[in-house]
Amino acid sequence: MQITVIGCGRWGSFLAWYLDGLGHTVTLYGRKGSARLEQLKNTRSNGMVTLSGKVGFTTSLTAAAAMGEILVISIGAQSFRALMRELSREKLDGKSVVLCMKGLEAATGKRLTEIFEEYAPGIPVAIWVGPGHVQDFIRGIPNCMVIDSKSMEVKKRLVGAFSSGLIRFYYGDDLLGNEIGAASKNVVGIAAGMLDGLDKTALKGALMSRGTREIARLIKAMGGNEITAYGLAHLGDYEATVFSPYSRNRKFGELFVRGEPYGELAEGVATTGALLKLGEKYGVDLPISKAVDSVVRGGRDPNQVLSDLFLRSIKMEF
């Protein structure tokens, strides 16, 4: 297939590497002036993946959209609306779009497929979510992930095109739940990092139990299937988010409570605010999101906040 990957960061460059390895014709798009794209063009490597000579590059969104029968998007969730304003001007008829990002719009709480459908109604859109880090995949360590969409035809086509011995895909059957679950696991990841930074790592068991239950309640209140929270998009992704040294959100939380700078994107920070908006809208209490927000944006003492969250008075289990 002709596939365009939009976004040349860590995950986007891995997707180009992975899909090229499956035999697809891959073009990688980055904006003009992108240092990441220039590095890949000049050296074919970003220090993690090395792209074959078959992978093409472009800084033209028009060319990127025209060349791909499948468009795979991997950018920061908070930049997605701006991209869609541009992409909606291109000819997208007959194409399928796959969103490989985990986040919610901070200002509105909207899911990324909702934003996509505002700008490109009628164009098939899917999500690719679940556990996995580039560092593990390039070492040949396999994992399982999920593709979900409103269209079963699209899901079958994508699973058939993207599956390999490295990544086994499952069909999702709850687009809303998988999007909420995938985005919210990053907030749990920040909380996990805070526990690591405060030498309270043993409380991760309580964090995982409570985090999954909170998100299950939110998914149900929004009209999804609460069981989805226990699948690969959320609970199944905790291994890669709550424990992995490669998790950006976990590392952010750890360094934040230690007062050390963290220079990379931690998508869970913006997602925290979005989840609190959704919790208020749907009448669901989200104590973990509130705790993370009170520390990161509210300036409260993390030791006190997490002690209050996990070591409070005796009550029925979650």
Side-chain angles (χ1 to χ4, degrees):
M1 290 183 175
Q2 300 276 346
I3 300 177
T4 295
V5 178
I6 296 176
C8 55
R10 181 185 303 181
W11 192 244
S13 59
F14 163 74
L15 294 171
W17 174 86
Y18 174 74
L19 295 169
D20 171 60
L22 294 182
H24 299 295
T25 301
V26 179
T27 302
L28 184 60
Y29 165 83
R31 292 186 177 278
K32 290 182 180 178
S34 166
R36 290 171 174 170
L37 188 69
E38 286 303 310
Q39 181 182 4
L40 287 166
K41 287 172 65 177
N42 293 333
T43 68
R44 290 274 159 184
S45 176
N46 60 4
M48 285 192 169
V49 298
T50 299
L51 301 178
S52 79
K54 295 180 295 180
V55 175
F57 302 97
T58 184
T59 58
S60 166
L61 193 59
T62 297
M67 286 187 281
E69 55 187 296
I70 297 176
L71 307 183
V72 175
I73 302 178
S74 177
I75 63 172
Q78 306 314 310
S79 302
F80 184 58
R81 184 177 290 276
L83 172 70
M84 284 309 304
R85 290 193 189 104
E86 297 181 52
L87 192 59
S88 62
R89 303 186 190 114
E90 308 300 337
K91 295 180 180 179
L92 300 178
D93 291 343
K95 302 180 185 297
S96 297
V97 177
V98 187
L99 307 183
C100 297
M101 312 108 77
K102 302 167 183 177
L104 302 168
E105 188 173 49
T108 64
K110 286 188 175 181
R111 296 178 287 117
L112 300 183
T113 59
E114 290 181 292
I115 296 171
F116 180 87
E117 289 169 352
E118 286 182 32
Y119 292 91
I123 302 300
V125 61
I127 61 171
W128 173 345
V129 296
H133 285 295
V134 175
Q135 295 92 330
D136 290 330
F137 282 133
I138 61 175
R139 291 166 54 205
I141 300 173
N143 217 323
C144 299
M145 303 186 81
V146 174
I147 287 180
D148 208 344
S149 172
K150 292 178 180 178
S151 167
M152 178 55 76
E153 180 183 350
V154 168
K155 285 188 283 190
K156 287 182 177 180
R157 181 184 185 216
L158 294 175
V159 168
F162 294 169
S163 294
S164 72
L166 190 61
I167 303 178
R168 176 181 178 178
F169 287 98
Y170 287 82
Y171 295 106
D173 61 0
D174 179 16
L175 182 60
L176 182 153
N178 277 315
E179 280 192 271
I180 295 296
S184 58
K185 64 92 186 177
N186 286 330
V187 179
V188 177
I190 293 176
M194 290 179 176
L195 292 175
D196 287 336
L198 296 171
D199 294 323
K200 297 180 184 291
T201 299
L203 287 172
K204 285 185 179 180
L207 174 67
M208 292 188 293
S209 298
R210 290 187 57 174
T212 308
R213 192 70 196 103
E214 283 183 24
I215 298 307
R217 286 195 289 261
L218 178 60
I219 290 171
K220 181 179 180 180
M222 293 178 67
N225 184 347
E226 63 183 314
I227 298 300
T228 302
Y230 299 88
L232 284 169
H234 188 74
L235 178 60
D237 207 344
Y238 279 5
E239 183 276 333
T241 307
V242 173
F243 296 101
S244 175
Y246 306 129
S247 169
R248 295 181 179 184
N249 290 281
R250 191 209 61 78
K251 192 64 176 179
F252 170 84
E254 179 181 2
L255 294 180
F256 188 89
V257 299
R258 290 179 176 172
E260 300 176 26
Y262 183 71
E264 296 188 64
L265 172 69
E267 191 68 62
V269 174
T271 302
T272 301
L275 284 175
L276 292 176
K277 285 183 174 66
L278 293 175
E280 182 176 357
K281 178 178 179 180
Y282 291 97
V284 178
D285 189 27
L286 301 171
I288 293 173
S289 293
K290 289 179 180 177
V292 169
D293 186 67
S294 72
V295 173
V296 175
R297 296 198 298 177
R300 290 193 60 197
D301 174 47
N303 205 6
Q304 185 63 56
V305 168
L306 293 171
S307 293
D308 289 346
L309 182 65
F310 293 111
L311 304 175
R312 55 191 178 183
S313 59
I314 297 173
K315 58 178 286 185
M316 296 295 290
E317 184 181 5
F318 321 135

Short mmCIF file of all heavy atoms in Angstrom, two decimals, residues 191-225:
data_model
loop_
_atom_site.label_atom_id
_atom_site.label_comp_id
_atom_site.label_asym_id
_atom_site.label_seq_id
_atom_site.Cartn_x
_atom_site.Cartn_y
_atom_site.Cartn_z
N ALA A 191 1.21 9.96 37.65
CA ALA A 191 1.05 9.61 39.07
C ALA A 191 2.04 8.52 39.48
O ALA A 191 2.64 8.57 40.56
CB ALA A 191 -0.37 9.16 39.34
N ALA A 192 2.26 7.55 38.61
CA ALA A 192 3.22 6.48 38.89
C ALA A 192 4.62 7.04 39.03
O ALA A 192 5.39 6.63 39.92
CB ALA A 192 3.18 5.43 37.78
N GLY A 193 4.98 7.97 38.16
CA GLY A 193 6.30 8.59 38.26
C GLY A 193 6.47 9.37 39.55
O GLY A 193 7.56 9.37 40.15
N MET A 194 5.40 10.03 39.98
CA MET A 194 5.45 10.75 41.26
C MET A 194 5.71 9.78 42.41
O MET A 194 6.50 10.07 43.32
CB MET A 194 4.15 11.51 41.48
CG MET A 194 3.96 12.69 40.55
SD MET A 194 2.39 13.53 40.85
CE MET A 194 2.53 14.92 39.72
N LEU A 195 5.07 8.62 42.37
CA LEU A 195 5.31 7.61 43.40
C LEU A 195 6.76 7.15 43.37
O LEU A 195 7.40 6.98 44.43
CB LEU A 195 4.37 6.42 43.21
CG LEU A 195 2.88 6.69 43.47
CD1 LEU A 195 2.05 5.45 43.11
CD2 LEU A 195 2.63 7.09 44.92
N ASP A 196 7.31 6.95 42.18
CA ASP A 196 8.72 6.57 42.06
C ASP A 196 9.62 7.65 42.66
O ASP A 196 10.57 7.36 43.39
CB ASP A 196 9.09 6.34 40.60
CG ASP A 196 8.52 5.05 40.04
OD1 ASP A 196 8.24 4.14 40.83
OD2 ASP A 196 8.36 4.96 38.80
N GLY A 197 9.33 8.90 42.31
CA GLY A 197 10.16 10.00 42.78
C GLY A 197 10.11 10.21 44.27
O GLY A 197 11.04 10.79 44.86
N LEU A 198 9.02 9.76 44.91
CA LEU A 198 8.86 9.93 46.36
C LEU A 198 9.16 8.64 47.12
O LEU A 198 8.86 8.55 48.32
CB LEU A 198 7.43 10.39 46.66
CG LEU A 198 7.04 11.76 46.11
CD1 LEU A 198 5.54 11.99 46.28
CD2 LEU A 198 7.84 12.87 46.78
N ASP A 199 9.72 7.65 46.42
CA ASP A 199 10.02 6.35 47.02
C ASP A 199 8.76 5.68 47.60
O ASP A 199 8.78 5.08 48.67
CB ASP A 199 11.08 6.49 48.12
CG ASP A 199 12.44 6.91 47.55
OD1 ASP A 199 12.79 6.44 46.45
OD2 ASP A 199 13.13 7.71 48.20
N LYS A 200 7.66 5.81 46.87
CA LYS A 200 6.41 5.17 47.24
C LYS A 200 5.97 4.19 46.15
O LYS A 200 4.78 4.00 45.90
CB LYS A 200 5.32 6.22 47.47
CG LYS A 200 5.60 7.20 48.61
CD LYS A 200 4.47 8.21 48.76
CE LYS A 200 4.77 9.26 49.82
NZ LYS A 200 4.77 8.69 51.18
N THR A 201 6.94 3.58 45.48
CA THR A 201 6.67 2.72 44.34
C THR A 201 5.70 1.58 44.68
O THR A 201 4.92 1.14 43.83
CB THR A 201 7.98 2.15 43.78
OG1 THR A 201 8.80 3.24 43.35
CG2 THR A 201 7.73 1.24 42.60
N ALA A 202 5.74 1.11 45.92
CA ALA A 202 4.87 -0.01 46.31
C ALA A 202 3.39 0.33 46.18
O ALA A 202 2.55 -0.57 46.10
CB ALA A 202 5.18 -0.44 47.75
N LEU A 203 3.07 1.62 46.13
CA LEU A 203 1.66 2.03 46.01
C LEU A 203 1.15 1.94 44.57
O LEU A 203 -0.01 2.26 44.31
CB LEU A 203 1.49 3.46 46.52
CG LEU A 203 1.58 3.62 48.04
CD1 LEU A 203 1.59 5.10 48.42
CD2 LEU A 203 0.41 2.91 48.72
N LYS A 204 2.00 1.49 43.64
CA LYS A 204 1.53 1.38 42.26
C LYS A 204 0.41 0.36 42.11
O LYS A 204 -0.43 0.46 41.21
CB LYS A 204 2.69 1.03 41.32
CG LYS A 204 3.63 2.19 41.04
CD LYS A 204 4.68 1.81 40.02
CE LYS A 204 5.60 2.97 39.72
NZ LYS A 204 6.64 2.63 38.71
N GLY A 205 0.37 -0.66 42.97
CA GLY A 205 -0.73 -1.61 42.91
C GLY A 205 -2.06 -0.92 43.17
O GLY A 205 -3.05 -1.13 42.46
N ALA A 206 -2.10 -0.08 44.20
CA ALA A 206 -3.31 0.69 44.50
C ALA A 206 -3.62 1.66 43.37
O ALA A 206 -4.79 1.85 42.99
CB ALA A 206 -3.14 1.44 45.82
N LEU A 207 -2.58 2.27 42.81
CA LEU A 207 -2.77 3.21 41.70
C LEU A 207 -3.41 2.52 40.50
O LEU A 207 -4.37 3.04 39.91
CB LEU A 207 -1.43 3.81 41.28
CG LEU A 207 -1.44 4.70 40.04
CD1 LEU A 207 -2.23 5.97 40.29
CD2 LEU A 207 -0.01 5.03 39.60
N MET A 208 -2.93 1.35 40.14
CA MET A 208 -3.47 0.64 38.99
C MET A 208 -4.92 0.21 39.22
O MET A 208 -5.77 0.33 38.33
CB MET A 208 -2.60 -0.57 38.66
CG MET A 208 -1.22 -0.20 38.13
SD MET A 208 -0.28 -1.64 37.54
CE MET A 208 -0.01 -2.51 39.07
N SER A 209 -5.21 -0.28 40.41
CA SER A 209 -6.58 -0.71 40.72
C SER A 209 -7.54 0.46 40.66
O SER A 209 -8.60 0.40 40.03
CB SER A 209 -6.63 -1.36 42.11
OG SER A 209 -5.82 -2.50 42.16
N ARG A 210 -7.17 1.55 41.32
CA ARG A 210 -8.05 2.70 41.38
C ARG A 210 -8.13 3.41 40.04
O ARG A 210 -9.20 3.88 39.64
CB ARG A 210 -7.57 3.65 42.47
CG ARG A 210 -7.79 3.09 43.86
CD ARG A 210 -7.46 4.10 44.92
NE ARG A 210 -8.23 5.32 44.75
CZ ARG A 210 -8.21 6.31 45.63
NH1 ARG A 210 -7.47 6.23 46.71
NH2 ARG A 210 -8.93 7.40 45.41
N GLY A 211 -6.98 3.52 39.36
CA GLY A 211 -6.98 4.21 38.08
C GLY A 211 -7.90 3.55 37.07
O GLY A 211 -8.68 4.22 36.38
N THR A 212 -7.82 2.24 36.98
CA THR A 212 -8.66 1.51 36.03
C THR A 212 -10.14 1.68 36.39
O THR A 212 -10.98 1.87 35.50
CB THR A 212 -8.29 0.02 36.02
OG1 THR A 212 -6.89 -0.11 35.82
CG2 THR A 212 -9.02 -0.70 34.90
N ARG A 213 -10.45 1.60 37.68
CA ARG A 213 -11.86 1.72 38.08
C ARG A 213 -12.40 3.12 37.79
O ARG A 213 -13.54 3.27 37.34
CB ARG A 213 -12.00 1.39 39.58
CG ARG A 213 -13.45 1.22 39.99
CD ARG A 213 -14.05 -0.06 39.41
NE ARG A 213 -15.51 -0.05 39.47
CZ ARG A 213 -16.32 0.19 38.46
NH1 ARG A 213 -15.80 0.47 37.26
NH2 ARG A 213 -17.63 0.16 38.60
N GLU A 214 -11.61 4.13 38.05
CA GLU A 214 -12.05 5.51 37.78
C GLU A 214 -12.36 5.70 36.30
O GLU A 214 -13.39 6.27 35.93
CB GLU A 214 -10.95 6.50 38.18
CG GLU A 214 -10.86 6.75 39.67
CD GLU A 214 -9.81 7.80 40.00
OE1 GLU A 214 -9.49 8.63 39.12
OE2 GLU A 214 -9.31 7.79 41.14
N ILE A 215 -11.46 5.22 35.46
CA ILE A 215 -11.64 5.42 34.02
C ILE A 215 -12.79 4.56 33.50
O ILE A 215 -13.52 4.96 32.58
CB ILE A 215 -10.33 5.14 33.26
CG1 ILE A 215 -9.25 6.13 33.72
CG2 ILE A 215 -10.53 5.23 31.76
CD1 ILE A 215 -9.67 7.60 33.64
N ALA A 216 -12.97 3.38 34.07
CA ALA A 216 -14.12 2.54 33.69
C ALA A 216 -15.42 3.28 33.95
O ALA A 216 -16.35 3.26 33.13
CB ALA A 216 -14.08 1.22 34.45
N ARG A 217 -15.51 3.96 35.09
CA ARG A 217 -16.72 4.71 35.42
C ARG A 217 -16.94 5.86 34.44
O ARG A 217 -18.07 6.14 34.03
CB ARG A 217 -16.65 5.23 36.86
CG ARG A 217 -16.87 4.15 37.92
CD ARG A 217 -17.15 4.77 39.28
NE ARG A 217 -15.97 5.38 39.85
CZ ARG A 217 -15.18 4.83 40.75
NH1 ARG A 217 -15.45 3.59 41.17
NH2 ARG A 217 -14.13 5.46 41.23
N LEU A 218 -15.85 6.53 34.08
CA LEU A 218 -15.98 7.64 33.13
C LEU A 218 -16.43 7.14 31.76
O LEU A 218 -17.32 7.73 31.14
CB LEU A 218 -14.65 8.38 33.01
CG LEU A 218 -14.62 9.54 32.00
CD1 LEU A 218 -15.64 10.62 32.38
CD2 LEU A 218 -13.23 10.14 31.89
N ILE A 219 -15.82 6.07 31.29
CA ILE A 219 -16.20 5.50 29.99
C ILE A 219 -17.67 5.14 29.98
O ILE A 219 -18.41 5.43 29.02
CB ILE A 219 -15.31 4.28 29.65
CG1 ILE A 219 -13.87 4.73 29.35
CG2 ILE A 219 -15.88 3.50 28.47
CD1 ILE A 219 -12.89 3.58 29.22
N LYS A 220 -18.14 4.51 31.03
CA LYS A 220 -19.55 4.11 31.11
C LYS A 220 -20.45 5.34 31.09
O LYS A 220 -21.48 5.36 30.38
CB LYS A 220 -19.79 3.30 32.38
CG LYS A 220 -21.23 2.83 32.53
CD LYS A 220 -21.41 2.00 33.80
CE LYS A 220 -22.86 1.53 33.95
NZ LYS A 220 -23.04 0.73 35.19
N ALA A 221 -20.10 6.36 31.86
CA ALA A 221 -20.93 7.57 31.91
C ALA A 221 -20.99 8.27 30.56
O ALA A 221 -21.99 8.90 30.23
CB ALA A 221 -20.37 8.52 32.97
N MET A 222 -19.93 8.14 29.75
CA MET A 222 -19.90 8.78 28.44
C MET A 222 -20.60 7.96 27.37
O MET A 222 -20.74 8.42 26.23
CB MET A 222 -18.44 9.03 28.03
CG MET A 222 -17.73 10.05 28.90
SD MET A 222 -15.99 10.29 28.41
CE MET A 222 -16.20 11.05 26.79
N GLY A 223 -21.03 6.74 27.72
CA GLY A 223 -21.75 5.92 26.76
C GLY A 223 -20.95 4.78 26.19
O GLY A 223 -21.43 4.07 25.30
N GLY A 224 -19.73 4.57 26.69
CA GLY A 224 -18.91 3.45 26.23
C GLY A 224 -19.08 2.23 27.12
O GLY A 224 -19.91 2.21 28.03
N ASN A 225 -18.29 1.22 26.87
CA ASN A 225 -18.32 -0.02 27.63
C ASN A 225 -17.25 0.05 28.72
O ASN A 225 -16.05 0.10 28.41
CB ASN A 225 -18.08 -1.20 26.71
CG ASN A 225 -18.20 -2.54 27.42
OD1 ASN A 225 -18.23 -2.62 28.64
ND2 ASN A 225 -18.25 -3.62 26.64
#
